[in-house]
Amino acid sequence: MAPELTAPQLRALETTERVASCFSVTGTIFIMLTFTFSPAFRKPINRLIFFASWGNALCNVATLMSQSGIRAGPDSHLCQFQGFLIQLFLPADALWNLAMAINVYMTLFRKYNAQQLRALEWKYQIMCYGLPFVVALSYLLIDSPKRGKIYGDASLWCWISTEWINLRIALLYAPAWIAILISFTLYAISGREIFQKRRQLRAFHDSPPLSIEVANPFTSFKTTEVEITSELASLPSRNHAPYSVRIFSSTKSPMLSDAATTIDRTSIAAKQNRTNRAAMEANTAAWGYTKVALLFFVSLLITWVPSSINRVYSLIYRDSVSIPFTYASAVVLPLMGFWNTVIYITTSWSACKDVFFEAFFGARRAHRVPRLSTWKTLDHRGRSRDGDTLGVTMRKETSMSDSTRGLAYGDPGNVV
């Protein structure tokens, strides 16, 4: 340990690491319990957070040890075990964030559904846990006569010692930052696509209706606005099928012309309502995506920027320790599981409220039920009336699509 850190400073550093780790452990337990026992939380993005939470939990085992491994000595099993856990699970968090960004990209641009996304999970497991495991295990087996073991005193905890300091950047921080930059790029490309769809929906007001698909990168289900038209028809029989258009009038009746005009106006009004609703949903979806993407962005920056600066400082000034950067790293690195919990709650906010109501009030929260308008009979002036002179049937959807709502509010939608 460098001489700049006194015994009180070391005790403060150890307390900081353990308190921050407790926040992550609490959040990780919440993720594991809710995902395991509540189907409402099992969305594609939450599956990846669930897988990442196991790495967060084991990394927090190492951060909770704090200075214990260093005090036991670099040759002790405790120090070697702590270094192995840090090297294995610290970069895995950045790699799982990359996997989530890939899921968003594949949903928007390759139109992957939930089953296709699940087929990628074994590849994510190899990328996030398999590759770091090979590196971490190799470090555990190397023992140089000149420089000793790779795992040793690293100020915060047992990890890569100062004799092997170049490996800290080469095989942990550099790969982590590559994954972070790729994630940011994929989120930016996906955000651009979503906002382009938003502009197209807003342009409905000045252009003919068209079909626009709005994909939800957080639930992997898609919504399509479908244009529906209807026309008047004469039926030869009084045995009418349900949902038919019924017209009884004499030839060349002015009532038929007025009714056709009324229906045409009603159809235009219905199209305009659907257009306005689609534009509103697009705005909500864009904000929902932006909110979650910003959370990923902020969590990665908070986690990796201070610790990266600290390690670059230690690489340049090998005989010195930056106390501010060291304390900052002691706070942010153990909080990876906490940030994943914040994202998990944000994407599952409705399900979290249900769990809260059921836990504290013993009942489920009331949900607004989507409603459908009733069938109406209109007269030749378009006024609602009873009778069989002119029957026009129309159905209007009033609920926000599951896909866009899931993106905007994190509703569970379909279970995968």
Side-chain angles (χ1 to χ4, degrees):
M1 177 61 63
E4 286 86 350
L5 296 178
T6 63
Q9 289 174 333
L10 290 176
R11 286 195 296 270
L13 189 66
E14 190 169 28
T15 302
T16 301
E17 292 170 1
R18 289 176 173 171
V19 170
S21 298
C22 288
F23 280 101
S24 286
V25 170
T26 303
T28 300
I29 292 173
F30 175 81
I31 292 174
M32 292 179 175
L33 290 178
T34 54
F35 188 88
T36 302
F37 296 105
S38 177
F41 288 87
R42 297 174 194 166
K43 293 184 294 184
I45 190 173
N46 285 351
R47 288 179 61 84
L48 298 188
I49 295 177
F50 175 74
F51 295 144
S53 67
W54 290 96
N56 295 147
L58 291 172
C59 187
N60 285 136
V61 170
T63 57
L64 283 170
M65 294 178 189
S66 188
Q67 301 286 313
S68 299
I70 295 175
R71 287 194 292 267
D75 294 327
S76 66
H77 294 302
L78 181 62
C79 180
Q80 294 298 303
F81 178 64
Q82 185 182 31
F84 173 79
L85 291 179
I86 295 291
Q87 181 62 38
L88 173 56
F89 296 112
L90 196 63
D93 185 74
L95 294 174
W96 277 115
N97 276 280
L98 174 60
M100 296 173 200
I102 293 173
N103 264 14
V104 171
Y105 180 87
M106 300 302 285
T107 301
L108 283 175
F109 294 97
R110 299 297 181 87
K111 312 305 178 186
Y112 271 37
N113 57 29
Q115 289 70 30
Q116 290 172 309
L117 292 177
R118 292 186 68 172
L120 298 175
E121 290 176 358
W122 68 271
K123 298 178 182 179
Y124 295 154
Q125 297 282 358
I126 293 176
M127 178 181 72
C128 299
Y129 289 144
L131 297 180
F133 175 80
V134 173
V135 176
L137 183 62
S138 300
Y139 287 178
L140 195 63
L141 301 177
I142 294 176
D143 189 357
S144 170
K146 290 185 177 181
R147 293 186 285 180
K149 294 181 179 293
I150 292 182
Y151 295 135
D153 186 350
S155 299
L156 292 173
W157 37 58
C158 276
W159 182 43
I160 299 175
S161 65
T162 54
E163 287 75 13
W164 301 84
I165 196 169
N166 292 335
L167 294 178
R168 296 179 183 178
I169 304 297
L171 292 180
L172 194 148
Y173 281 93
W177 272 107
I178 291 173
I180 291 169
L181 292 176
I182 296 175
S183 300
F184 288 166
T185 302
L186 293 178
Y187 281 128
I189 295 173
S190 302
R192 180 183 177 184
E193 177 72 9
I194 288 178
F195 279 92
Q196 282 180 345
K197 294 292 179 67
R198 172 178 174 267
R199 285 194 295 268
Q200 292 178 17
L201 287 170
R202 292 183 65 181
F204 270 10
H205 292 281
D206 303 318
S207 62
L210 65 154
S211 177
I212 289 183
E213 187 178 82
V214 181
N216 179 353
F218 299 113
T219 58
S220 77
F221 295 99
K222 299 182 284 293
T223 300
T224 303
E225 278 294 319
V226 181
E227 184 62 37
I228 302 174
T229 60
S230 61
E231 61 181 6
L232 297 173
S234 298
L235 301 178
S237 167
R238 294 187 63 87
N239 296 324
H240 310 295
Y243 319 132
S244 62
V245 176
R246 296 178 291 174
I247 300 175
F248 301 94
S249 63
S250 60
T251 306
K252 299 180 180 180
S253 170
M255 293 174 59
L256 181 59
S257 177
D258 292 344
T261 302
T262 301
I263 294 173
D264 183 62
R265 291 176 178 175
T266 304
S267 177
I268 293 175
K271 293 175 185 178
Q272 187 64 34
N273 288 336
R274 286 197 300 270
T275 298
N276 293 337
R277 187 171 67 252
M280 181 183 67
E281 291 176 4
N283 290 334
T284 307
W287 164 241
Y289 170 85
T290 302
K291 180 173 60 176
V292 177
L294 282 175
L295 275 175
F296 278 114
F297 179 80
V298 170
S299 67
L300 288 173
L301 289 183
I302 291 177
T303 300
W304 289 97
V305 168
S307 57
S308 297
I309 294 175
N310 183 48
R311 293 310 176 185
V312 171
Y313 180 92
S314 65
L315 181 63
I316 298 173
Y317 305 101
R318 301 196 178 193
D319 296 327
S320 177
V321 173
S322 171
I323 296 177
F325 290 142
T326 299
Y327 274 96
S329 299
V331 173
V332 298
L333 287 177
L335 285 176
M336 291 187 299
F338 170 79
W339 283 110
N340 281 338
T341 305
V342 172
I343 297 171
Y344 179 85
I345 292 174
T346 301
T347 59
S348 309
W349 183 241
S350 180
C352 290
K353 288 191 288 187
D354 288 341
V355 170
F356 175 82
F357 272 80
E358 193 168 359
F360 290 94
F361 300 103
R364 287 189 174 273
R365 185 171 57 95
H367 292 274
R368 184 174 60 183
V369 179
R371 54 187 178 84
L372 299 177
S373 62
T374 59
W375 303 99
K376 295 181 179 180
T377 302
L378 306 178
D379 64 13
H380 68 285
R381 297 185 183 277
R383 294 175 299 191
S384 178
R385 55 166 292 176
D386 295 329
D388 294 331
T389 304
L390 178 64
V392 180
T393 62
M394 180 181 298
R395 188 177 77 166
K396 178 178 66 177
E397 295 185 0
T398 60
S399 62
M400 182 183 294
S401 66
D402 286 342
S403 176
T404 308
R405 185 176 62 242
L407 172 60
Y409 301 112
D411 285 351
N414 295 306
V415 176
V416 296

